[in-house]
DNA sequence: CCATGTCAAGGTCAC
DNA sequence: GTGACCTTGACATGG
């Protein structure tokens, strides 16, 4: 079991997701920003190693405007060496990596232009992981997409479009159950027709489910991962009190996490903590895992 | 120099 | 039909 947090680290003085406005785009600006982002990413990974966090989500802002037509620059070549160095560090320390492009990536859209743009976006995420030399267990996660007033038809479009994706995307793409539209059960239905692995999100499952107890749900998601895909990836969060249903916590609810870990102690899976204060809550979570989890937890070096 | 309106992208839901 | 919200900080402009 590996544990981590997404994209940002508040304890370090750098930002691995620095960006700029489209209006101020220039190749020089891109180089400067990516250079900053990659060197900060390296700092974060070192911090993570020192603190026992062996799962990390690389920000989609790492390469700003990578899929936008304005970006014609060959960042792949420019940063080849830096990416390899980072990749080697990740492999050497047996770290798990994910990426999560945001809500604009819809491979089940009705509009073909949106699908095309989405594929372009997925393409660069996968290229980045490929350039780092990461194994197939480094994943790019998305939600199923929109419903467009006809869920069955939209799920079918997902399946059809998924099958047409280039291999470099297919080998990394995974879907996550969401909190309003596509439940774990829906994801399983899609998995049965595509073999796409499912990331289990406990909080989304709390918001939208079909009465499966959490351990049963986790187990069902686990079955969708092959040896090459690696250990089941999961996202963890819980409800921020007094806020809209679905709002992630500012900091970890230890009792809730403890209960979750106890209920799922028989399973090995990696946990991405989607909590606003990032590494601070992750450190608390690591303590809990050390107490309850049967599966081995890498220790801080 | 600082405050704050705004930022590539789509879809859903409340009103 | 329109606008807030997702998620959210920080970019960058205008005062």
């Amino acid at each position: 079991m590996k544990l981590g947090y997404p994209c940002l680290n508040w304890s370090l003085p750098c930002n691995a997701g620095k960006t700029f406005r489209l209006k101020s785009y220039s190749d020089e600006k891109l180089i400067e920003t990516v250079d900053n982002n990659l060197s900060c990413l390296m700092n974060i990974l070192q911090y993570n190693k020192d603190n026992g966090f062996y799962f990390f989500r690389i920000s989609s802002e790492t390469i700003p405007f990578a899929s936008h037509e304005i970006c014609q620059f060959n960042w792949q070549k420019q940063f080849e060496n830096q990416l390899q160095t980072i990749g080697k560090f990740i492999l050497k320390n047996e770290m798990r990596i994910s990426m999560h492009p945001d809500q604009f990536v819809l491979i089940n859209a009705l509009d073909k232009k949106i699908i095309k743009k989405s594929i372009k976006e997925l393409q660069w995420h996968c290229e980045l992981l490929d350039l780092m030399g990461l194994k197939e267990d480094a994943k790019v996660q998305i939600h199923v997409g929109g419903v467009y007033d006809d869920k069955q038809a939209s799920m079918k479009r997902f399946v059809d479009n998924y099958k047409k994706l280039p291999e470099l995307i297919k080998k990394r793409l995974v879907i996550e159950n969401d909190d309003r539209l596509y439940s774990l059960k829906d994801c399983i239905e899609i998995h049965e027709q595509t073999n796409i692995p499912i990331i289990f999100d406990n909080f989304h499952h709390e918001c939208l489910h079909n009465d499966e107890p959490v351990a049963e749900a986790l187990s069902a998601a686990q079955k969708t991962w092959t040896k090459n895909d690696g250990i089941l990836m999961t996202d963890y969060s819980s409800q921020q009190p007094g806020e809209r249903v679905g709002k992630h916590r500012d900091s970890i609810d230890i009792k809730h996490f403890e209960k979750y870990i106890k209920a799922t102690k028989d399973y090995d899976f990696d946990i991405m903590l989607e909590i606003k204060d990032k590494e601070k809550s992750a450190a608390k979570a690591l303590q809990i895992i050390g107490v309850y989890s049967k599966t081995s937890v890498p220790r801080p070096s």
Side-chain angles (χ1 to χ4, degrees):
Chain A
M1 174 172 280
K2 295 173 184 175
L3 182 125
Y5 56 92
C7 306
L8 305 171
N9 176 305
W10 300 122
S11 306
L12 292 169
C14 68
N15 176 1
K18 202 170 160 59
T19 185
F20 50 86
R21 293 287 99 95
L22 177 59
K23 267 196 280 188
S24 49
Y25 181 93
S26 70
D27 287 349
E28 291 70 33
K29 192 132 192 159
L30 182 79
I31 293 169
E32 182 195 323
T33 305
V34 173
D35 197 39
N36 167 83
N37 291 346
L38 293 181
S39 80
C40 181
L41 172 59
M42 193 64 213
N43 291 344
I44 294 177
L45 292 172
Q46 181 63 55
Y47 174 98
N48 287 354
K49 184 187 171 187
D50 295 342
N51 289 275
F53 305 130
Y54 284 83
F55 189 15
F56 190 67
R57 182 182 297 162
I58 296 176
S59 171
S60 290
E61 307 232 64
T62 303
I63 320 283
F65 305 105
S67 71
H68 193 282
E69 58 183 17
I70 201 167
C71 177
Q72 297 296 323
F73 182 75
N74 191 345
W75 56 268
Q76 292 91 334
K77 184 149 178 44
Q78 175 81 20
F79 294 101
E80 200 179 3
N81 291 338
Q82 248 170 298
L83 290 169
Q84 266 177 30
T85 303
I86 294 169
K88 276 181 192 154
F89 183 84
I90 290 166
L91 290 172
K92 184 172 167 239
N93 293 290
E94 296 182 52
M95 290 176 163
R96 194 82 188 275
I97 296 294
S98 68
M99 295 187 81
H100 192 351
D102 46 64
Q103 68 266 39
F104 310 106
V105 170
L106 295 153
I107 69 170
N108 76 345
L110 290 165
D111 183 345
K112 284 206 166 66
K113 288 199 292 289
I114 292 172
I115 295 173
K116 210 175 159 185
K117 275 199 245 176
S118 298
I119 294 174
K120 225 178 148 190
E121 180 74 359
L122 291 173
Q123 173 100 17
W124 86 255
H125 280 79
C126 293
E127 275 177 23
L128 186 84
L129 299 173
D130 279 354
L131 284 163
M132 288 181 176
L134 302 186
K135 292 177 293 181
E136 215 174 292
D137 72 342
K139 296 299 186 188
V140 174
Q141 67 189 92
I142 58 170
H143 296 293
V144 176
V147 165
Y148 310 94
D149 295 323
D150 186 345
K151 198 165 175 182
Q152 278 307 314
S154 298
M155 283 165 73
K156 184 174 186 305
R157 265 199 318 284
F158 183 98
V159 169
D160 293 345
N161 292 336
Y162 173 84
K163 287 178 178 168
K164 287 185 265 179
L165 290 173
E167 197 50 43
L168 99 156
I169 295 177
K170 268 202 249 184
K171 78 175 181 200
R172 298 200 187 275
L173 195 65
V174 299
I175 48 173
E176 173 193 348
N177 58 306
D178 72 72
D179 58 348
R180 290 174 307 130
L181 307 176
Y182 292 97
S183 67
L184 176 69
K185 193 171 166 226
D186 297 325
C187 291
I188 289 172
E189 200 176 317
I190 289 171
H191 164 78
E192 281 163 359
Q193 296 171 67
T194 55
N195 287 325
I196 190 167
I198 302 167
I199 285 208
F200 177 66
D201 186 310
N202 77 299
F203 183 36
H204 291 164
H205 187 71
E206 281 176 23
C207 299
L208 177 72
H209 56 81
N210 296 279
D211 299 325
E212 313 93 326
V214 68
E216 194 182 296
L218 189 95
S219 167
Q222 188 180 50
K223 293 189 173 81
T224 65
W225 292 68
T226 68
K227 193 161 193 285
N228 279 347
D229 293 322
I231 286 170
L232 166 70
M233 276 186 183
T234 68
D235 285 348
Y236 170 85
S237 192
S238 67
Q239 178 66 39
Q240 174 71 17
E243 292 279 351
R244 147 197 86 74
V245 171
K247 172 83 174 174
H248 291 197
R249 295 276 306 201
D250 289 346
S251 80
I252 193 166
D253 176 346
I254 288 295
K255 287 249 174 333
H256 182 281
F257 186 71
E258 210 170 330
K259 200 174 155 197
Y260 177 62
I261 291 300
K262 276 189 196 173
T264 58
K265 66 177 167 27
D266 294 332
Y267 301 91
D268 191 12
F269 54 101
D270 292 341
I271 306 178
M272 179 59 61
L273 277 200
E274 292 190 321
I275 310 261
K276 207 171 154 187
D277 68 359
K278 313 277 178 188
E279 75 282 359
K280 203 173 154 200
S281 283
K284 295 182 194 167
L286 209 53
Q287 300 292 320
I288 303 289
I289 289 173
V291 176
Y292 293 103
S293 183
K294 283 185 182 173
T295 52
S296 71
V297 182
R299 296 190 172 279
S301 53

